[in-house]
Amino acid sequence: PWPVAQYLDTHLGKVLRITRDGKPAPGNPYIGQAGALPEIWARGLRSPEGLAFAPDGQLYEVEHGPRGGDEFNLIKKGANYGWPVISHGIDYRGQPIGDDKVALPGMEQPVHYWLPSIAPSGLAFYSGDAFPRWRGDLFVGANMADTYLSDYGSAYLFYGPFTTGVTTPVTSKKT
């Protein structure tokens, strides 16, 4: 795979942080670094499909992996999420990604990953009043699950607690 998500001179494979007028936000990790775009907040993402802020203000992201390895990530300032150096999936032809590593120092691990892929299609933290037990829980849309449960996909519900950040592995449940 093309390692562009690791390059700091392009927006591909990045989360950007900008002000309302489109300028790099103060405090971004690459401001002043030669060859780096100053609006980059995080890098090493393969195919982001959704972003959402948790009730505690932390930013989360879901992304497509290759064959397997779709990810749910807590986005952190200056973090490198590893694509395509590390991955929990394999290439579409069945070959390992990169050097077949799932972890390396200086690269973040996902909060959760799916094997097989679910093809995440977005995410939202529930904050409504109709279902109080779900308040603060995360819903992740899925385009496929269990080899196509239906033509319309399904959804996954993550149980928090997200009000204090994710400190233990979350579980997923088909709804």
Side-chain angles (χ1 to χ4, degrees):
W2 187 30
V4 69
Q6 294 297 318
Y7 303 160
L8 292 173
D9 63 353
T10 177
H11 293 143
L12 297 174
K14 314 298 185 299
V15 171
L16 308 180
R17 184 169 165 262
I18 58 175
T19 62
R20 292 181 189 264
D21 61 357
K23 294 187 168 104
N28 279 358
Y30 300 106
I31 290 177
Q33 182 173 324
L37 297 175
E39 57 272 20
I40 294 173
W41 183 254
R43 65 180 166 147
L45 301 161
R46 182 179 184 268
S47 181
E49 300 297 320
L51 292 169
F53 284 99
D56 64 3
Q58 294 188 92
L59 181 63
Y60 289 87
E61 175 257 0
V62 290
E63 67 181 63
H64 286 183
R67 275 179 58 191
D70 295 342
E71 296 182 2
F72 171 55
N73 291 304
L74 170 60
I75 301 300
K76 301 175 190 174
K77 176 182 181 177
N80 183 343
Y81 293 86
W83 179 258
V85 180
I86 61 172
S87 176
H88 289 276
I90 59 173
D91 191 55
Y92 293 110
R93 294 183 214 120
Q95 302 300 315
I97 300 291
D99 291 332
D100 198 19
K101 299 207 182 298
V102 297
L104 284 173
M107 294 187 175
E108 295 292 318
Q109 284 294 299
V111 173
H112 185 79
Y113 65 91
W114 291 272
L115 292 172
S117 291
I118 64 162
S121 59
L123 71 160
F125 286 90
Y126 183 74
S127 60
D129 295 323
F131 305 100
R133 285 186 16 221
W134 288 349
R135 197 169 298 119
D137 285 345
L138 173 69
F139 288 83
V140 177
N143 290 320
M144 48 188 254
D146 291 340
T147 62
Y148 302 100
L149 288 175
S150 73
D151 292 337
Y152 303 103
S154 58
Y156 283 78
L157 170 63
F158 284 88
Y159 297 96
F162 286 97
T163 54
T164 59
V166 177
T167 56
T168 59
V170 295
T171 59
S172 62
K173 174 184 172 186
K174 241 176 307 189
T175 58

